[in-house]
Amino acid sequence: MKNIVYKIVFVSLIYVVSACVDNFDEMNTNPNLPTAVPLENHLAGTIVSFDGSFMAISNSAITISTNYIGDRWRSHQPDVSNTYENIQSVGWGGYYTNMVDANDIITKATAAERYNMVAAALTFRAEMTQIATDLWGEMPYSEALQASEGMLRPAYDDQEFIYNEIISDLKTAADYFKEGHSDPIGSVEPFYSGDVNKWQKLCNSLRLRVAARISYVNEPLAREIIKAVLDNPGDYPVSEGIDDKAEVTYAGDNTWQIGFWYWNNLLGHSGGGTRLVNMLKDYDDPRLERILSPAESDGEFRGTSRIGRDPDPALTTESISYWNKNYYLVNGTTGPNIHYRHSELGFLKAEFFLRGLYPGGDAAAQQAYEEGVYSSMKELSIMVDGSQQISDAEISAYLVNDATSWSGTDEEKLDKIWNQKYLAMTFMANEPWAEMRRTDTPLSLPELGSFYDGHNRGPFRLPYPNDEALMNSENSKEFFDRQFEGDFLWGGQLWWDTRTGVN
Amino acid sequence: MLFNINLFSQSRAVTGTVTSAEDGSTLIGVTVVIKGTTSGVTTDADGEYNLMVTSENTTLVFSFIGLKTKEIAVTANKNSYDVILEPSDLNLDEFVVTAMGISRKKETLGYSVQDVSGDELAEVKPTNIVNGLSGKIAGVQITNATGAPGGASRIVIRGNGSFTDSEPLWVVDGTPFINFSADNGPMSGADFGNGALDIDPSNIESISVLKGANAAALYGSRAANGVILVTTKRGKASKGFGVEVSSAITFDAYPYLPDYQNEYGGGSTGSEYYWNQHNAENGTNLSYQQYAEQYGYNFVDGQGAGVNDATPSSWGPRLDAGLMLDQFTGENQPWVSRPNNVRDFYETGITTDNSISVSNAGEFGSVRAFFNDNNVVGTLPNTDYRKHTFGFNSDVNLHERLKLSTNLNYVINKSDNLPAQGYYGDAPNSPQTGVTFMPRQVDIKPLEENWNSVNEFGYPYNFGRGESPNPYLAARNTNSRVRNRIYGNVVLDFKLTDWLTIRGRAGTDQYNENRKTRILELTYRATDGSGLNGTFNDQNLMGEETNFDFMAMFDKSLGDFRVDGTMGANMMTAKRMNNSIFANDLVVPNLFTISNAKGVQGVTQFESEKQIHGIYGAVNASYRDYLYLSLTARNDWSSTLPANERSYFYPSFSLGLVFTEALDISSDFFTFGKIRGGWASVGRDTSPYSIQPTYQPLGSPWEGNGIFTLPGTLPNQLLKPELSKSIEIGGNFKFFNNRIGLDISYYNVRNTNQILNVAVSQASGYNQVAINAGEIQNTGVEIILNTTPIQNNDFSWDVDINWAKNNNSVNSLFGDLETYRMSSMWGANIEARPGQAFGTIIGNSYLRDDSGNIVVSNSGRIRRENNQELGNITPDWIGGITNTFRYKNMSLRVLVDAKMGGDFVAGSIRWGGSGGALAFTAEDNLRETGHIWDAVTVDGEPNTNRISAQQYISDYSRTVQNWVVDGSYVKLREVSLGYRFRTPASYSVRLSLIGRNLSILYRHKENRYGLDPETGSGSGIAGLGYEQMQIPSARNIGARVTFSF
């Protein structure tokens, strides 16, 4: 009897322990999430994810500096000291995780010899990196993204190095596109539903954007890029019309409400900024009433501002201009986040010609400038209620006004290019803010009354996220120190920011 | 029964009844002896005795096993003496339930185990059983999260040993029980409680707390944080047929609220300071009335059309100064203070608790059935918590060698609304967010009466447009819950020989829970004008854990040696499922069904499964009655770890020596002495799917396609099991014939290889990386002192003290990682940093120059410095003292418990400060005179800028440094005053007046805001140490009557 019992005990133990662990690998395979996904769906996820963090901008450092967006609430007025206080760099981590995504796509697409997919991912990687480094300046790049190799505290690279990487990514992508591969990018991606040719044009257009940005700090390289692109329209085609825009349009049906429009307009949280409203009014610009609605109280267009502000108790929620909802409610959506508009190309080329960065001279510059204005008028007058786009006649009339016509000294012409570019980039955030810091036109002003007093320009860059001080303290120390020396948001001009006399 | 009677003429009969102090039952077989003789009797079936005494100076001695011996002096004029015998707390034969449900003498253990009797828990019964342990066990820290009905409480033994989950394993009648935690972060939300809520305190015989790894090692992986062993009441105690009925009603009232100011109402720039400044700067001569209505506050639509009427905080004009202003209640209303407007929002909570149990015991074995109805009406309007518990257990002797035991519990846990709390932005279902810091002039009554109506502008009736709607509307946006849970086991014992028993046990714990969150359409007109027609989320949760054990138990004596032990195998399977459907907008307003969803019908799915297989063995050997040795060993195989790390082995041993026995030095003064020591290790696995990389869907499908990104957490294919190693030494000492008992323990626990998702520099490509982290060490001392200062015929006084001090140290993290952040709120982080105790509070502080002066901007506003160490949440010590007085049939028990040291982050200072609601924002005429920071400017000049109170408090309340408050407290935790009626011996009736949380007897002087320092959100680690708009706890008082026969 005893022996039998011992045997039962023994056999049972062996059974329980050994026989059943065979299925452990299967049991510990996650049934909820995929271990592999199609590259098309991953690319789309990467673009939408980055777009949500960076293009649906709610960052007050940027909105205050660019002043496209006003301030609705009177109740903020008595105490503006904390205006810049809650500015946080929430996007920082989003940039890096989306970079991991882009690298994953590039690795897998390369292995599968899907070079159009590689090129699209490289193009987007470059766009992401340019946006990020234009916000923060020096960042970890060469040692970044290597957590899986145990690199948890990557060193920082200077911005010139990062820009060279951007330039190289775009060049590599442009050359892949040039080769004319047939693999699909996939219809899921939100820019062009997989139109390879449009991706190719975006890639080369972004090369010109990059060239303009570095043109004051590394003119030879800027010339080289511009020449490579504009000399070879067959190999390196650029944006050809307003349909070549790169936008992410959200469904707006409560599943996808992210978007510049949603936060700033649909909820009525904010109205038009003073500078935007005043520029459009001063220029007698037909875009004014396409973009903005008149104040409820008296039908006037009136912007609000947090910069240079003298609190105006007369302003109420009824006496300011909100956005024209007919403009952005396109197809029942909450409006697009804009990555690229064709009008930008006109203004880039106009600057290149005017500054002699590419041969063509004043006549070519004028043509490019007028193309830019024309495209912008069309881009900003697509209305949901079917009302007429701004007519060619209106545009022609606009281009002979003193304030907006191609006239004056070269310097005045540059100012006109840049002011028009500012208007054309309405509803964008990162790119106009970067251009305002490069060109000083229009001026980016600081807020008065902030406890960061004594500045004559708006912030120079975004602060580093506090986590970098906590978790990467040695590498980031130098940059944090400089950030705080410069009053938090004024911690040094970026590498390509050659403005003088600014603080 | 009489022996040895002398029939002297002076002899007389002395009679009486002997009853038990524990339950009032009459005691049969109590020995009654005349002191100094062998003459005596035993009590009869009715507990009565009848004894002839002869001399005048006779003393009777009453003794009974398990009860304290009592002496009664017989006086000349009295012939009847009823005697109540107390349970003998210090009895040498005290048994406790230890690992695997084995009952052992405390004296034989080489480690510390402490228990609480079920009666003690049941009398002053908390809704959450965890709260019933507060102050009663040395080294156990309870965090009673909030006053929400059915809210979660957290229990930690011997300090936080883990960065992620420090709570002990719960075992009910031998089978593990899921005490899932409400892992609410500091921003909180609805508190759905912790799993132990499903254990009804009335149904408990005892709770043993196995504190250290030595005691717990047999339970395997999850026992590293200790074990709470719950033994439910069984039928065998009843000796035949028995019934017990117990009913209580208690009231929750007088919530612990912060101190409010009552001098200034809603608005902005409304104080005299601004008024004077305005007139001076503009050369005007506005009266205060004129200034107030033009610049301070005037209501139009509550949306910004008036003066500061959208988001009014209490920075408006002075109250009770004769002003007349337009308010949400009408135009030109008197501007007066309403000191009780917040307090009036809370209603008196009512808890009714009714239990009935029937049992029978006999030759066949025993059975017991139990039912409890626990019904709580919360202190917030429209909140409740109801729980029905059905319990059944039996021990049936199938054969003289075969015994079948069953334990079955069925619990229905139901609430129509568990309110959200904490501050998390738009909080449509958190009345607490709307009411806590509302403007001081707001009249709460009209809000209640008009919660369902809109004003002339179409906006919901409210005092403004706050973060949260009208609190009475928020209370109608419900979080309901229904949970059905079954747990229990079936045990078959086969007694093979006298010394060997084979046991098979199958146990399960499973629950299905449905949670519904519904937000009414009206809400969206209130908070953001988004025009939504309502939203809902229906969540179905399933949890299941099954355990199969097969074990052999032996017990054999050989001369002076005795050996007993257990060998067994366990297979544990845990499954979880979490599915939800939701709609972010509706077609037909307020019809909360998925087919009514506007836009995409939202769906989420999650399921997980894991298994642990273990084999274990334990041997306890003793020599005579003084030397005890225990050895345990266990090997686990967990499905969650990489294949080559899946198996892990961990042993333990302990030794106890009763030196008073060994050296034969026991005396009346030094009755008993034992020293003990042990070493143990426990391994531990991780959660499922931690090692495999996956993609994750990004939100809802994008134009019909699933789109994906890589997750922010990098999984780790090289994870090792966690390992906890501990040593424990201690001693038990008893003096004056057990009138004083002292138990001292010292422990040192090192937890290594903790599996963590640790936040890293995001530039590494990931927000978090799964790692085996370094080492956390807890060392501590626990002292348990039980004394009986007074004990005589009618009166006794017992004092029981528990005291524990735990030193926690994060010895190392991982590689060059600098910190592990556990949670974060508004820039106040709670972190683990190498070289410091767990729970360092990190945040900004005033910027100071090299001489230590505060630095302000040139306009006199505060500057700050980030990432400063501001405090630590770990307490210095915790303890409790219970005084029990018994006088005849009456007893009074008073429990006071304390936590000393340990900071918390008070979000109330942030929001009650910047909102101008709390008393400190209006003290010392601040709002008339303003404030000048005692500081230097950034240019190095002495600061002379005078700023308004509104600016000063804004500077103050936005500085994290000022939110860190010493959380020390002493609380009057429990009081019960009981009276047992004189009844015939066949039944008993006991009536008690009971109270819980009656008073905060002490708060640290830093806590000048009136905050309840015992606070947290949920029972997980994420909400630990944060106070912020939680539902306040209240004083609980009531009565209980217990009837049994």
Side-chain angles (χ1 to χ4, degrees), chain B residues 126-157:
Chain B
T127 304
N128 193 332
I129 190 169
V130 173
N131 296 341
L133 298 174
S134 196
K136 291 173 187 162
I137 309 269
V140 168
Q141 189 187 349
I142 308 290
T143 309
N144 180 0
T146 75
S153 292
R154 172 183 166 84
I155 178 167
V156 171
I157 303 171

Side-chain angles (χ1 to χ4, degrees), chain B residues 762-815:
Chain B
Q762 294 171 317
S764 71
Y766 290 87
N767 304 329
Q768 293 187 317
V769 174
I771 53 158
N772 282 111
E775 180 175 284
I776 302 188
Q777 178 173 270
N778 281 288
T779 56
V781 176
E782 289 159 4
I783 296 174
I784 305 163
L785 182 67
N786 306 109
T787 64
T788 307
I790 298 176
Q791 184 176 37
N792 61 35
N793 290 352
D794 292 327
F795 183 72
S796 72
W797 173 28
D798 293 334
V799 183
D800 299 298
I801 296 171
N802 295 300
W803 185 90
K805 179 171 177 56
N806 183 67
N807 289 319
N808 178 292
S809 164
V810 177
N811 290 346
S812 61
L813 276 174
F814 173 77

Side-chain angles (χ1 to χ4, degrees), chain A residues 108 153 466-468 473, chain B residues 646 695 710 761 818 821 867:
Chain A
K108 290 186 172 142
R153 305 204 304 176
N466 193 44
D467 275 7
E468 280 291 298
S473 64
Chain B
R646 186 171 282 162
Y695 294 82
L710 284 161
S761 163
E818 298 168 56
R821 179 172 55 215
N867 303 330

Side-chain angles (χ1 to χ4, degrees), chain A residues 383-389:
Chain A
M383 309 299 284
V384 69
D385 63 355
S387 58
Q388 281 260 303
Q389 284 203 23

Side-chain angles (χ1 to χ4, degrees), chain B residues 57-79:
Chain B
N57 300 317
T58 303
T59 299
L60 299 182
V61 181
F62 296 79
S63 59
F64 192 75
I65 291 169
L67 300 178
K68 286 181 190 168
T69 298
K70 199 166 193 177
E71 297 186 0
I72 301 279
V74 177
T75 55
N77 307 323
K78 196 178 166 197
N79 291 330

Side-chain angles (χ1 to χ4, degrees), chain A residues 114-309:
Chain A
R114 291 183 55 179
Y115 296 109
N116 283 333
M117 179 62 81
V118 174
L122 281 170
T123 303
F124 193 65
R125 182 167 88 175
E127 190 205 334
M128 290 195 291
T129 300
Q130 190 185 9
I131 288 172
T133 191
D134 286 354
L135 295 176
W136 288 289
E138 297 85 350
M139 303 175 79
Y141 194 90
S142 52
E143 288 185 359
L145 312 176
Q146 294 173 36
S148 50
E149 279 86 58
M151 172 60 80
L152 300 182
R153 305 204 304 176
Y156 282 55
D157 291 300
D158 62 40
Q159 210 183 2
E160 183 171 11
F161 174 88
I162 297 171
Y163 255 86
N164 285 335
E165 296 291 314
I166 297 167
I167 290 163
S168 152
D169 273 0
L170 289 171
K171 171 83 166 62
T172 310
D175 288 338
Y176 277 129
F177 282 127
K178 185 180 74 177
E179 289 165 13
H181 297 280
S182 61
D183 66 282
I185 295 172
S187 62
V188 196
E189 60 85 7
F191 282 175
Y192 303 120
S193 301
D195 184 326
V196 176
N197 182 242
K198 288 194 172 183
W199 269 99
Q200 184 180 19
K201 290 189 275 188
L202 174 67
C203 173
N204 290 306
S205 304
L206 290 177
R207 294 172 76 188
L208 297 180
R209 178 189 280 183
V210 172
R213 191 87 86 252
I214 63 168
S215 62
Y216 285 117
V217 72
N218 189 348
E219 194 181 306
L221 183 56
R223 284 175 181 276
E224 192 185 307
I225 297 166
I226 296 163
K227 183 170 165 37
V229 174
L230 295 184
D231 274 359
N232 301 292
D235 288 345
Y236 301 131
V238 294
S239 171
E240 290 167 332
I242 64 173
D243 288 344
D244 286 340
K245 68 190 177 202
E247 295 180 349
V248 178
T249 301
Y250 289 86
D253 60 356
N254 296 312
T255 56
W256 287 105
Q257 319 175 300
I258 307 167
F260 191 96
W261 297 112
Y262 181 77
W263 296 114
N264 290 308
N265 313 328
L266 189 62
L267 300 181
H269 282 167
S270 53
T274 309
R275 191 207 330 263
L276 178 68
V277 173
N278 290 347
M279 276 174 80
L280 292 168
K281 276 163 76 175
D282 289 349
Y283 295 165
D284 198 11
D285 198 310
R287 285 170 290 194
L288 173 64
E289 55 193 41
R290 302 299 209 286
I291 301 171
L292 291 148
S293 300
E296 268 177 50
S297 59
D298 59 1
E300 281 296 307
F301 288 90
R302 199 173 286 115
T304 57
S305 179
R306 300 184 78 174
I307 58 173
R309 179 175 62 182

Side-chain angles (χ1 to χ4, degrees), chain B residues 488-503:
Chain B
N489 55 30
V490 179
V491 185
L492 196 61
D493 281 339
F494 181 40
K495 194 167 183 182
L496 208 59
T497 69
D498 280 352
W499 57 272
L500 182 64
T501 301
I502 306 287
R503 169 175 290 178

